[in-house]
Amino acid sequence: MLRLHRDEETSDGRLPGGCGISQVTASVVQMETEVMEEDVFQEEADSCPLSPLHPGSVDFPDTPTLSSPEEMLERRLMVLKVILESEEVYLRELEALLMPMKALRASAGTSKPVLSSQQVQTVFYQVPEIRDMHQSFFSGLKERLSAHCRSDPGLGEDEQMSYTGFELVVGDLFLKMSMMSNIGSDKTRTKYTFEALLYKPLDRVTKTTLVLLDILKTTPETHQDFALLQEVLRLSRSFLSGVNESSQSKRGVTLSHGMRRKLMRDGFVVDASEGERHMRHLFLYTDLLLFGWFLPLAGLKLRWIADQHHSPDAQLRLHTIRTKMHLLRQQLRQHAGSKGLAYAARSRKKLEQVELMLLTHSPVYTGAAQPQRQVILSSSPRCMSLKNGGKPFTKSLQTRPSPPDLLTLTSACVKLRMTQQPPLHSTNAVEDEMSLCGTLSVAVHSACGLQQPASVYVCVEVDGYEFYDKQATTHSSIHSLNPHWDQELEFQVDAAQELRLLCVSQADGKNDTVLGKTSVKLDSKTLNERWRRQTLHLGQVDVTVSLKFSPHPLEPPSATAPLHPVFCVPIEIVTQQEGVMVPHVVRCCAEEVERRGLAEVGIYRISGSSSDINTLKTVFNSNLRDAVTRLRRAEVNVVSGVLKLYFRELPEPLIPADKFQSLARSLEIQDVDSRLVSMFSVLHSCPAPNRNTFLFVLHHLQRVSEKQDTNKMTLMNLATIFGPSLLRLPVAALGHIGSSMDISVEVVLQVQVVFCYLQCNNLPEAQTSLPHDTDSEDETTQI
């Protein structure tokens, strides 16, 4: 088996071997990277029908007794033919790998070698021996299959297979290869990079057990190969078990300065370098980040650049990939069992290839960076998890580990990598009735348990196929001990089984801090179209959420996300889109004014920059989270200007125009109590979003006037500013009473109505969100 990282680090601080050598030898080896887009996005009628390279590629029954011996022998022959073709492809790859080895070995004897002879031997360790071993296995298997499939003039093809099926013996070939055979490579027309070729033997060794299992399932117990294949399978499983035990024992490595190195976590990330993206296996140690090259954490800057976006070309590419995934998934569902194993294996293989492309090109969250390269993660929870994992690292660590430590470290990393694969959902997904397919709605209400006031937001992510966006984030709350959002997030999901939440504290000019995280199992039996409220424990924070689920078939993903503008849109439409009673733009602006504008002289009277106000208006129409983030940094007079602009641009005033005359008549009532009763009767006849938003604004303006000694804004001043925006004369009535009511009289009535409401000391409370909780008591989830 090919071994990587057996020598000391190279002069530029990167690991020798397949992880970092491709750039070093770029001048010697020219191998273009060709992504399998053409192969993926076209039908492969001429491709191999079966592949034993994956657990889901050949779905044979669990025991041989489920098929007749003739059917088992026929399938066995198909699997062996695919293995033969796979070996032929792999031998060509090994030959391609030996070409740069010869060039590098020749340059090692020059005055300016690319690599030393020892490094060449380390990088290409036992590659010639591996090639010879597989050549011997390929020749033996080909000879036996050729003899078996040689046509007999006296027998038909089916009769020939039945006649000679028990005579085809290959178990001794597999036993001879033992665990060194590394069977299983994709039959593909793709050209590989030098780096990918170096990893090929490591990728193959992990799949040997699956290949042997496929062959054993198709071998009758009476066949003389059965016992031999059982022994080979036992040896294979024993080897993999030993790798797991060995990797566990290697997780702690003693550093030269007396500290103890431990493996914190490992997984797959995307590496962006020189405009190219590659999938990398990441290993995070207490002082080292290792994935293709190593970065000493003492000099590593961990950051999170949130709300990154793809370019239009990248978005179109991702839409094409997601659409292809959706169609392949639908085909697998519709034709399950109707077109045979060959069709299912080919479709699933395509799905895996497309999903791997999506995993490579979709991430936008930067988790770690160096001058020439970045580590990009697919979601904000994963990015924040990586960042949070780096909190205990100290700055006193050495900038480079010593060679003996590195040797032990990389040995453990190679063994870990052998036992894991990229997280493809199409590989691990199980068709389960409990998984969700449809629309999942998550309402994030509030949080409690903070030790000190903070601006907090919540990241929500679901699993399943990545046809649609799988994650969303609330806007950041105001600086508070009890943050609240009442924000509804919606997900289109397919085969979703788990919901993950991450609560993050946002500090101005500083790194965000993870306050807690948790996961919730999604149960189709308990979730329905009625809201279900529950409280989740996320470390030091308790977050209250509500969930509901509507099952339905999914449509293909759209090319662009639907925009839900809020300005110049009727308030009932905005509140329905947001799942609230008071629009978020109103709540966020009012909260921000109360946070830092109550002491501002002339608040709401002095206008902010019109360009800044229009910029915030545009952002609110496209991205609520981005708008709230900008709102937190904007001048407070700009914030107050955005709130006034929202009410001015409502197509219909907040108090419907048909209520104007009724309110005007109420003002004529001399008795104060009777007048208020009449006015509140008119208010209660308004639609719920209008009524609750109006009450919310009244309470807000009352709190502003409480600081009138400082801000000089009395109730009359505020009524004068907001009256014309909140209440208007009906357009249809202008021609009817226009001669008897001029503009000055109308303005006076508008101001008097709002002033009368503001003078009320017992205003009803505004309901800001819809009643998501349908149960009598909240459900508390302890995780």
Side-chain angles (χ1 to χ4, degrees), residues 119-195:
Q119 288 174 328
V120 173
Q121 183 179 356
T122 299
V123 172
F124 298 94
Y125 181 70
Q126 289 189 348
V127 173
E129 290 82 354
I130 293 175
R131 188 270 315 273
D132 294 341
M133 180 178 53
H134 280 273
Q135 181 64 57
S136 175
F137 174 79
F138 172 76
S139 300
L141 184 59
K142 182 178 182 181
E143 180 181 356
R144 298 188 187 186
L145 284 176
S146 299
H148 168 74
C149 297
R150 191 175 297 118
S151 61
D152 188 330
L155 295 174
E157 184 178 350
D158 294 339
E159 295 177 82
Q160 174 72 8
M161 184 176 298
S162 175
Y163 178 74
T164 61
F166 278 82
E167 297 178 1
L168 178 60
V169 178
V170 295
D172 58 320
L173 296 176
F174 285 94
L175 187 60
K176 182 178 178 181
M177 287 278 288
S178 186
M179 275 309 302
M180 296 297 291
S181 59
N182 304 338
I183 300 172
S185 176
D186 301 344
K187 182 188 179 184
T188 174
R189 294 182 291 276
T190 303
K191 295 179 181 178
Y192 289 93
T193 61
F194 178 51
E195 181 181 40

Coordinates of all heavy atoms in Angstrom, one line a residue, residues 119-195:
Q119 N 13.3 11.8 -0.5 CA 12.0 12.3 -0.6 C 11.2 11.6 -1.8 O 10.0 11.4 -1.6 CB 12.0 13.8 -0.8 CG 12.4 14.6 0.4 CD 12.5 16.1 0.2 OE1 12.9 16.5 -0.9 NE2 12.3 16.9 1.2
V120 N 11.9 11.4 -2.9 CA 11.2 10.7 -4.0 C 10.8 9.3 -3.6 O 9.7 8.8 -3.8 CB 12.2 10.6 -5.2 CG1 11.6 9.7 -6.3 CG2 12.4 12.0 -5.8
Q121 N 11.7 8.7 -2.8 CA 11.4 7.3 -2.3 C 10.2 7.3 -1.4 O 9.4 6.4 -1.3 CB 12.6 6.7 -1.6 CG 12.4 5.3 -1.2 CD 13.7 4.7 -0.5 OE1 14.7 5.4 -0.5 NE2 13.6 3.5 0.0
T122 N 10.2 8.4 -0.6 CA 9.0 8.5 0.4 C 7.7 8.7 -0.3 O 6.7 8.1 0.0 CB 9.3 9.7 1.4 OG1 10.5 9.4 2.1 CG2 8.2 9.9 2.3
V123 N 7.7 9.7 -1.3 CA 6.5 10.0 -2.0 C 6.0 8.8 -2.8 O 4.8 8.5 -2.8 CB 6.7 11.2 -2.9 CG1 5.5 11.5 -3.8 CG2 7.0 12.5 -2.1
F124 N 6.8 8.1 -3.4 CA 6.4 7.0 -4.3 C 6.7 5.7 -3.7 O 7.1 4.7 -4.3 CB 7.2 7.1 -5.7 CG 6.8 8.3 -6.4 CD1 7.6 9.5 -6.3 CD2 5.7 8.4 -7.2 CE1 7.3 10.6 -7.0 CE2 5.4 9.6 -7.9 CZ 6.2 10.7 -7.8
Y125 N 6.5 5.6 -2.4 CA 6.9 4.4 -1.6 C 6.1 3.2 -2.1 O 4.9 3.1 -2.1 CB 6.6 4.6 -0.1 CG 6.9 3.4 0.8 CD1 8.3 3.1 1.0 CD2 5.9 2.7 1.3 CE1 8.6 2.0 1.8 CE2 6.2 1.6 2.2 CZ 7.6 1.3 2.4 OH 7.9 0.2 3.2
Q126 N 6.9 2.2 -2.6 CA 6.3 0.9 -3.1 C 5.3 1.0 -4.2 O 4.6 0.1 -4.5 CB 5.7 0.2 -1.9 CG 6.7 -0.4 -0.9 CD 6.1 -1.3 0.1 OE1 4.8 -1.4 0.2 NE2 6.9 -2.0 0.9
V127 N 5.3 2.1 -5.0 CA 4.4 2.2 -6.1 C 4.8 1.1 -7.2 O 3.9 0.5 -7.7 CB 4.5 3.6 -6.7 CG1 3.7 3.6 -8.1 CG2 3.9 4.6 -5.8
P128 N 6.1 0.9 -7.5 CA 6.4 -0.1 -8.5 C 5.9 -1.5 -8.0 O 5.4 -2.3 -8.8 CB 7.9 -0.1 -8.6 CG 8.3 1.3 -8.2 CD 7.3 1.7 -7.2
E129 N 6.1 -1.8 -6.7 CA 5.6 -3.1 -6.2 C 4.1 -3.2 -6.3 O 3.6 -4.3 -6.6 CB 6.1 -3.2 -4.7 CG 7.6 -3.4 -4.6 CD 8.4 -2.1 -4.6 OE1 7.7 -1.1 -4.9 OE2 9.6 -2.1 -4.4
I130 N 3.4 -2.1 -6.0 CA 2.0 -2.2 -6.1 C 1.5 -2.4 -7.5 O 0.6 -3.2 -7.8 CB 1.4 -0.8 -5.6 CG1 1.6 -0.7 -4.1 CG2 -0.1 -0.8 -5.9 CD1 1.2 0.6 -3.5
R131 N 2.2 -1.8 -8.5 CA 1.9 -2.0 -9.9 C 2.1 -3.4 -10.3 O 1.3 -4.1 -10.9 CB 2.8 -1.0 -10.7 CG 2.4 -1.0 -12.2 CD 3.2 -2.0 -13.1 NE 4.6 -2.1 -12.7 CZ 5.5 -1.3 -13.3 NH1 5.2 -0.5 -14.2 NH2 6.8 -1.5 -12.9
D132 N 3.3 -4.0 -9.9 CA 3.5 -5.4 -10.2 C 2.5 -6.4 -9.6 O 2.1 -7.3 -10.3 CB 5.0 -5.8 -9.8 CG 6.0 -5.0 -10.5 OD1 5.7 -4.5 -11.6 OD2 7.2 -4.9 -10.0
M133 N 2.1 -6.1 -8.4 CA 1.2 -7.0 -7.7 C -0.2 -6.9 -8.4 O -0.8 -8.0 -8.7 CB 1.0 -6.5 -6.3 CG 0.1 -7.3 -5.4 SD 0.1 -6.7 -3.7 CE -0.3 -5.0 -4.0
H134 N -0.6 -5.7 -8.8 CA -1.9 -5.6 -9.4 C -1.9 -6.2 -10.9 O -2.9 -6.6 -11.4 CB -2.4 -4.2 -9.4 CG -3.0 -3.8 -8.1 ND1 -4.3 -3.9 -7.8 CD2 -2.5 -3.2 -7.0 CE1 -4.6 -3.5 -6.6 NE2 -3.5 -3.1 -6.1
Q135 N -0.7 -6.0 -11.5 CA -0.6 -6.6 -12.8 C -0.7 -8.1 -12.8 O -1.4 -8.7 -13.7 CB 0.8 -6.2 -13.4 CG 1.1 -6.7 -14.8 CD 0.1 -6.1 -15.8 OE1 0.0 -4.9 -16.0 NE2 -0.6 -7.0 -16.5
S136 N -0.1 -8.7 -11.8 CA -0.2 -10.2 -11.6 C -1.7 -10.6 -11.4 O -2.2 -11.5 -12.0 CB 0.7 -10.7 -10.5 OG 0.5 -12.0 -10.2
F137 N -2.4 -9.8 -10.5 CA -3.8 -10.1 -10.2 C -4.6 -9.9 -11.4 O -5.5 -10.8 -11.8 CB -4.2 -9.2 -9.1 CG -5.7 -9.3 -8.8 CD1 -6.2 -10.4 -8.0 CD2 -6.6 -8.4 -9.2 CE1 -7.5 -10.5 -7.8 CE2 -8.0 -8.5 -9.0 CZ -8.4 -9.6 -8.2
F138 N -4.4 -8.9 -12.2 CA -5.2 -8.6 -13.4 C -5.0 -9.7 -14.4 O -5.9 -10.1 -15.0 CB -4.7 -7.2 -14.0 CG -5.3 -6.9 -15.3 CD1 -6.6 -6.5 -15.4 CD2 -4.6 -7.0 -16.5 CE1 -7.2 -6.2 -16.7 CE2 -5.1 -6.7 -17.7 CZ -6.4 -6.3 -17.8
S139 N -3.7 -10.1 -14.6 CA -3.5 -11.1 -15.7 C -4.1 -12.4 -15.3 O -4.7 -13.1 -16.1 CB -1.9 -11.3 -15.8 OG -1.3 -10.1 -16.2
G140 N -4.0 -12.8 -14.0 CA -4.7 -14.1 -13.6 C -6.2 -14.0 -13.7 O -6.8 -15.0 -14.2
L141 N -6.8 -12.9 -13.3 CA -8.2 -12.8 -13.4 C -8.7 -12.8 -14.8 O -9.7 -13.4 -15.2 CB -8.7 -11.6 -12.6 CG -10.2 -11.3 -12.5 CD1 -10.9 -12.5 -11.8 CD2 -10.5 -10.0 -11.8
K142 N -8.0 -12.0 -15.7 CA -8.4 -11.9 -17.1 C -8.3 -13.3 -17.8 O -9.2 -13.7 -18.6 CB -7.5 -10.9 -17.8 CG -7.8 -10.7 -19.3 CD -6.9 -9.7 -19.9 CE -7.3 -9.4 -21.3 NZ -6.4 -8.4 -22.0
E143 N -7.2 -14.1 -17.5 CA -7.1 -15.4 -18.1 C -8.2 -16.3 -17.7 O -8.8 -17.0 -18.6 CB -5.7 -16.0 -17.7 CG -5.4 -17.3 -18.2 CD -4.1 -17.9 -17.8 OE1 -3.4 -17.2 -17.1 OE2 -3.8 -19.1 -18.1
R144 N -8.6 -16.3 -16.4 CA -9.7 -17.2 -16.0 C -11.0 -16.8 -16.5 O -11.8 -17.6 -16.9 CB -9.7 -17.3 -14.5 CG -8.4 -17.8 -13.9 CD -8.5 -18.1 -12.4 NE -7.2 -18.5 -11.9 CZ -7.0 -18.9 -10.6 NH1 -8.0 -18.9 -9.8 NH2 -5.8 -19.2 -10.2
L145 N -11.3 -15.5 -16.6 CA -12.5 -15.0 -17.2 C -12.6 -15.3 -18.7 O -13.7 -15.6 -19.2 CB -12.7 -13.5 -16.9 CG -13.1 -13.1 -15.5 CD1 -13.2 -11.6 -15.3 CD2 -14.5 -13.7 -15.1
S146 N -11.5 -15.1 -19.3 CA -11.5 -15.4 -20.8 C -11.8 -16.9 -21.0 O -12.5 -17.2 -21.9 CB -10.1 -15.0 -21.4 OG -9.9 -13.6 -21.2
A147 N -11.2 -17.8 -20.3 CA -11.4 -19.2 -20.4 C -12.8 -19.5 -20.1 O -13.5 -20.4 -20.8 CB -10.4 -20.0 -19.5
H148 N -13.4 -18.9 -19.1 CA -14.8 -19.2 -18.7 C -15.8 -18.7 -19.7 O -16.8 -19.4 -20.0 CB -15.1 -18.5 -17.4 CG -16.5 -18.5 -17.0 ND1 -17.2 -19.7 -16.6 CD2 -17.5 -17.5 -17.0 CE1 -18.4 -19.4 -16.4 NE2 -18.6 -18.1 -16.6
C149 N -15.5 -17.5 -20.3 CA -16.5 -16.9 -21.2 C -16.3 -17.3 -22.7 O -17.0 -16.8 -23.6 CB -16.4 -15.4 -21.1 SG -16.9 -14.7 -19.5
R150 N -15.3 -18.2 -22.9 CA -15.1 -18.7 -24.3 C -16.3 -19.4 -24.8 O -16.8 -20.3 -24.1 CB -13.8 -19.5 -24.4 CG -13.3 -19.8 -25.8 CD -12.0 -20.6 -25.8 NE -11.0 -19.8 -25.2 CZ -10.3 -20.2 -24.0 NH1 -10.7 -21.3 -23.4 NH2 -9.4 -19.4 -23.5
S151 N -16.8 -19.0 -25.9 CA -18.1 -19.6 -26.4 C -18.0 -21.0 -26.7 O -16.9 -21.5 -27.2 CB -18.6 -18.8 -27.6 OG -17.7 -18.8 -28.6
D152 N -19.0 -21.8 -26.5 CA -19.1 -23.2 -26.8 C -20.1 -23.4 -27.9 O -21.2 -23.1 -27.8 CB -19.5 -24.0 -25.6 CG -19.3 -25.5 -25.8 OD1 -19.5 -26.0 -27.0 OD2 -19.1 -26.2 -24.8
P153 N -19.7 -23.9 -29.1 CA -20.6 -24.0 -30.2 C -21.8 -24.9 -29.9 O -22.9 -24.7 -30.5 CB -19.7 -24.7 -31.3 CG -18.3 -24.4 -30.9 CD -18.3 -24.4 -29.4
G154 N -21.7 -25.7 -29.0 CA -22.8 -26.6 -28.7 C -23.8 -26.1 -27.7 O -24.8 -26.7 -27.4
L155 N -23.5 -25.0 -27.0 CA -24.3 -24.5 -26.0 C -24.7 -23.0 -26.2 O -23.8 -22.3 -26.7 CB -23.7 -24.7 -24.6 CG -23.4 -26.1 -24.1 CD1 -22.6 -26.1 -22.9 CD2 -24.7 -26.9 -24.0
G156 N -25.9 -22.6 -25.7 CA -26.2 -21.2 -25.7 C -25.5 -20.5 -24.6 O -24.9 -21.1 -23.7
E157 N -25.6 -19.2 -24.6 CA -24.8 -18.4 -23.7 C -25.3 -18.7 -22.2 O -24.5 -18.9 -21.3 CB -25.0 -16.9 -24.0 CG -24.2 -16.0 -23.0 CD -24.3 -14.5 -23.4 OE1 -24.9 -14.3 -24.5 OE2 -23.9 -13.7 -22.6
D158 N -26.6 -18.7 -22.0 CA -27.1 -19.0 -20.7 C -26.7 -20.4 -20.2 O -26.3 -20.6 -19.1 CB -28.6 -18.9 -20.6 CG -29.0 -17.4 -20.9 OD1 -28.1 -16.5 -20.7 OD2 -30.2 -17.2 -21.2
E159 N -26.8 -21.4 -21.1 CA -26.5 -22.8 -20.8 C -25.0 -22.9 -20.5 O -24.5 -23.6 -19.6 CB -26.8 -23.7 -21.9 CG -28.3 -23.8 -22.2 CD -28.6 -24.7 -23.4 OE1 -28.7 -25.9 -23.2 OE2 -28.8 -24.1 -24.5
Q160 N -24.1 -22.1 -21.3 CA -22.7 -22.2 -21.0 C -22.3 -21.6 -19.6 O -21.5 -22.2 -19.0 CB -22.0 -21.3 -22.1 CG -20.5 -21.2 -21.9 CD -19.7 -22.5 -22.2 OE1 -20.3 -23.4 -22.7 NE2 -18.5 -22.5 -21.9
M161 N -23.0 -20.5 -19.2 CA -22.7 -20.0 -17.9 C -23.1 -20.9 -16.8 O -22.4 -21.1 -15.8 CB -23.4 -18.6 -17.8 CG -23.1 -17.9 -16.5 SD -23.9 -16.3 -16.5 CE -23.1 -15.5 -17.9
S162 N -24.3 -21.5 -17.0 CA -24.8 -22.5 -16.0 C -23.8 -23.7 -15.9 O -23.6 -24.2 -14.9 CB -26.2 -22.9 -16.3 OG -26.6 -23.9 -15.4
Y163 N -23.3 -24.1 -17.1 CA -22.5 -25.3 -17.1 C -21.2 -25.1 -16.5 O -20.7 -26.0 -15.8 CB -22.4 -25.7 -18.6 CG -21.5 -26.9 -18.8 CD1 -22.0 -28.2 -18.5 CD2 -20.2 -26.8 -19.3 CE1 -21.2 -29.3 -18.6 CE2 -19.4 -27.9 -19.5 CZ -19.9 -29.2 -19.1 OH -19.1 -30.3 -19.3
T164 N -20.6 -23.9 -16.7 CA -19.2 -23.7 -16.3 C -19.2 -22.8 -15.0 O -18.1 -22.4 -14.6 CB -18.4 -23.0 -17.4 OG1 -19.0 -21.7 -17.7 CG2 -18.3 -23.9 -18.6
G165 N -20.4 -22.4 -14.5 CA -20.4 -21.4 -13.3 C -19.6 -21.9 -12.1 O -18.8 -21.2 -11.5
F166 N -19.7 -23.2 -11.8 CA -19.0 -23.7 -10.6 C -17.6 -24.0 -10.9 O -16.8 -24.3 -10.0 CB -19.7 -25.0 -10.1 CG -20.9 -24.7 -9.3 CD1 -22.2 -24.4 -9.9 CD2 -20.8 -24.7 -7.9 CE1 -23.3 -24.2 -9.1 CE2 -22.0 -24.5 -7.1 CZ -23.2 -24.2 -7.7
E167 N -17.2 -23.9 -12.2 CA -15.8 -24.2 -12.5 C -14.9 -23.0 -12.4 O -13.7 -23.1 -12.4 CB -15.7 -24.8 -13.9 CG -16.4 -26.2 -14.0 CD -16.3 -26.7 -15.4 OE1 -15.7 -26.0 -16.3 OE2 -16.9 -27.8 -15.7
L168 N -15.5 -21.8 -12.4 CA -14.7 -20.5 -12.3 C -14.3 -20.3 -10.9 O -15.1 -20.0 -10.0 CB -15.6 -19.4 -12.9 CG -14.9 -18.0 -12.8 CD1 -13.6 -18.0 -13.7 CD2 -15.8 -16.9 -13.3
V169 N -13.0 -20.4 -10.6 CA -12.4 -20.2 -9.3 C -11.5 -19.0 -9.3 O -10.6 -19.0 -10.1 CB -11.7 -21.5 -8.8 CG1 -11.1 -21.3 -7.5 CG2 -12.6 -22.7 -8.8
V170 N -11.8 -18.1 -8.4 CA -10.9 -16.9 -8.3 C -10.5 -16.6 -6.9 O -9.8 -15.6 -6.6 CB -11.7 -15.6 -8.9 CG1 -11.9 -15.8 -10.4 CG2 -13.0 -15.4 -8.2
G171 N -11.0 -17.3 -6.0 CA -10.7 -17.1 -4.5 C -9.3 -17.0 -4.2 O -8.8 -16.2 -3.4
D172 N -8.5 -17.9 -4.8 CA -7.1 -18.0 -4.5 C -6.4 -16.7 -5.0 O -5.4 -16.2 -4.4 CB -6.4 -19.2 -5.2 CG -6.6 -19.2 -6.7 OD1 -7.8 -18.8 -7.2 OD2 -5.7 -19.5 -7.4
L173 N -6.9 -16.1 -6.1 CA -6.3 -14.8 -6.5 C -6.5 -13.7 -5.5 O -5.6 -12.9 -5.2 CB -6.9 -14.4 -7.9 CG -6.6 -15.3 -9.1 CD1 -7.4 -14.8 -10.3 CD2 -5.1 -15.4 -9.3
F174 N -7.7 -13.6 -4.9 CA -8.0 -12.6 -3.9 C -7.2 -12.9 -2.6 O -6.7 -12.0 -2.0 CB -9.5 -12.6 -3.6 CG -10.3 -11.9 -4.7 CD1 -10.9 -12.7 -5.7 CD2 -10.5 -10.6 -4.7 CE1 -11.6 -12.0 -6.7 CE2 -11.2 -9.9 -5.6 CZ -11.8 -10.7 -6.7
L175 N -7.1 -14.2 -2.3 CA -6.4 -14.6 -1.1 C -4.9 -14.2 -1.2 O -4.3 -13.7 -0.3 CB -6.5 -16.1 -0.8 CG -5.9 -16.5 0.5 CD1 -6.6 -15.8 1.7 CD2 -6.1 -18.0 0.7
K176 N -4.4 -14.4 -2.4 CA -3.0 -14.0 -2.7 C -2.7 -12.5 -2.5 O -1.7 -12.0 -2.0 CB -2.5 -14.5 -4.1 CG -1.1 -14.2 -4.4 CD -0.7 -14.7 -5.8 CE 0.7 -14.4 -6.1 NZ 1.1 -14.9 -7.5
M177 N -3.7 -11.8 -3.0 CA -3.6 -10.3 -2.9 C -3.8 -9.9 -1.4 O -3.2 -8.9 -1.0 CB -4.7 -9.6 -3.7 CG -4.5 -9.7 -5.2 SD -3.3 -8.4 -5.7 CE -4.4 -6.9 -5.5
S178 N -4.7 -10.6 -0.7 CA -5.0 -10.3 0.7 C -5.4 -8.9 0.8 O -6.1 -8.3 0.0 CB -3.8 -10.7 1.6 OG -4.1 -10.5 2.9
M179 N -4.9 -8.2 1.9 CA -5.2 -6.8 2.0 C -4.4 -5.9 1.1 O -4.7 -4.7 1.1 CB -5.0 -6.4 3.5 CG -6.2 -6.7 4.4 SD -7.8 -6.1 3.7 CE -7.4 -4.3 3.5
M180 N -3.4 -6.4 0.5 CA -2.6 -5.5 -0.4 C -3.2 -5.3 -1.8 O -2.7 -4.6 -2.6 CB -1.2 -6.2 -0.6 CG -0.4 -6.3 0.7 SD -0.1 -4.6 1.4 CE 1.1 -4.0 0.1
S181 N -4.4 -6.0 -2.0 CA -5.0 -5.9 -3.4 C -5.6 -4.6 -3.6 O -5.6 -4.1 -4.8 CB -6.0 -7.0 -3.5 OG -7.0 -6.9 -2.5
N182 N -6.2 -3.9 -2.6 CA -6.8 -2.6 -2.8 C -7.8 -2.5 -4.0 O -7.7 -1.6 -4.8 CB -5.7 -1.5 -3.0 CG -4.7 -1.5 -1.8 OD1 -5.0 -2.0 -0.8 ND2 -3.5 -1.0 -2.1
I183 N -8.7 -3.5 -4.1 CA -9.5 -3.5 -5.2 C -10.6 -2.4 -5.2 O -11.1 -2.1 -4.1 CB -10.2 -4.9 -5.3 CG1 -9.2 -6.0 -5.5 CG2 -11.2 -4.9 -6.5 CD1 -9.8 -7.3 -5.4
G184 N -10.9 -1.9 -6.3 CA -12.0 -0.9 -6.4 C -11.6 0.4 -6.8 O -11.1 1.2 -6.1
S185 N -11.8 0.8 -8.1 CA -11.5 2.1 -8.6 C -12.6 2.4 -9.6 O -13.0 1.6 -10.4 CB -10.1 2.1 -9.3 OG -9.9 3.4 -9.9
D186 N -12.9 3.7 -9.7 CA -14.0 4.1 -10.6 C -13.6 3.9 -12.1 O -12.5 4.4 -12.4 CB -14.3 5.6 -10.4 CG -14.8 5.8 -8.9 OD1 -15.1 4.8 -8.3 OD2 -14.8 7.0 -8.5
K187 N -14.4 3.4 -12.9 CA -14.2 3.3 -14.3 C -14.6 4.7 -14.9 O -15.7 5.1 -14.9 CB -15.0 2.3 -15.0 CG -14.7 2.2 -16.5 CD -15.6 1.3 -17.2 CE -15.3 1.2 -18.7 NZ -16.3 0.4 -19.4
T188 N -13.6 5.5 -15.3 CA -13.9 6.8 -15.7 C -12.9 7.3 -16.8 O -11.8 6.8 -16.9 CB -13.7 7.8 -14.5 OG1 -13.8 9.1 -14.9 CG2 -12.3 7.6 -13.8
R189 N -13.4 8.2 -17.5 CA -12.6 8.8 -18.6 C -11.9 10.1 -18.1 O -11.4 10.8 -19.0 CB -13.4 9.1 -19.8 CG -14.0 7.8 -20.4 CD -14.8 8.2 -21.7 NE -16.1 8.9 -21.3 CZ -17.2 8.3 -20.9 NH1 -17.2 7.0 -20.9 NH2 -18.3 9.0 -20.7
T190 N -11.9 10.3 -16.9 CA -11.3 11.6 -16.3 C -9.8 11.5 -16.2 O -9.2 10.5 -15.8 CB -11.9 11.9 -15.0 OG1 -13.3 12.0 -15.1 CG2 -11.4 13.2 -14.4
K191 N -9.1 12.6 -16.5 CA -7.7 12.7 -16.3 C -7.5 13.2 -14.8 O -8.1 14.1 -14.4 CB -7.0 13.7 -17.3 CG -7.0 13.2 -18.7 CD -6.4 14.2 -19.6 CE -6.4 13.8 -21.1 NZ -5.8 14.8 -21.9
Y192 N -6.6 12.6 -14.1 CA -6.4 12.9 -12.7 C -5.2 13.8 -12.6 O -4.2 13.7 -13.3 CB -6.2 11.7 -11.9 CG -7.4 10.8 -11.7 CD1 -7.7 9.8 -12.6 CD2 -8.3 11.2 -10.7 CE1 -8.9 9.1 -12.4 CE2 -9.5 10.4 -10.6 CZ -9.8 9.4 -11.4 OH -10.9 8.7 -11.3
T193 N -5.2 14.6 -11.5 CA -4.0 15.4 -11.2 C -3.0 14.4 -10.5 O -3.4 13.3 -10.1 CB -4.4 16.5 -10.2 OG1 -4.9 15.9 -9.0 CG2 -5.4 17.5 -10.8
F194 N -1.8 14.9 -10.4 CA -0.8 14.1 -9.8 C -1.1 13.8 -8.3 O -1.0 12.7 -7.8 CB 0.6 14.9 -9.9 CG 1.7 14.2 -9.2 CD1 2.0 12.9 -9.5 CD2 2.5 14.9 -8.3 CE1 3.1 12.2 -8.9 CE2 3.6 14.2 -7.7 CZ 3.9 12.9 -8.0
E195 N -1.7 14.8 -7.7 CA -2.1 14.6 -6.3 C -3.2 13.6 -6.1 O -3.2 12.7 -5.3 CB -2.6 16.0 -5.8 CG -3.0 15.9 -4.3 CD -3.5 17.3 -3.8 OE1 -4.2 17.9 -4.6 OE2 -3.2 17.7 -2.7

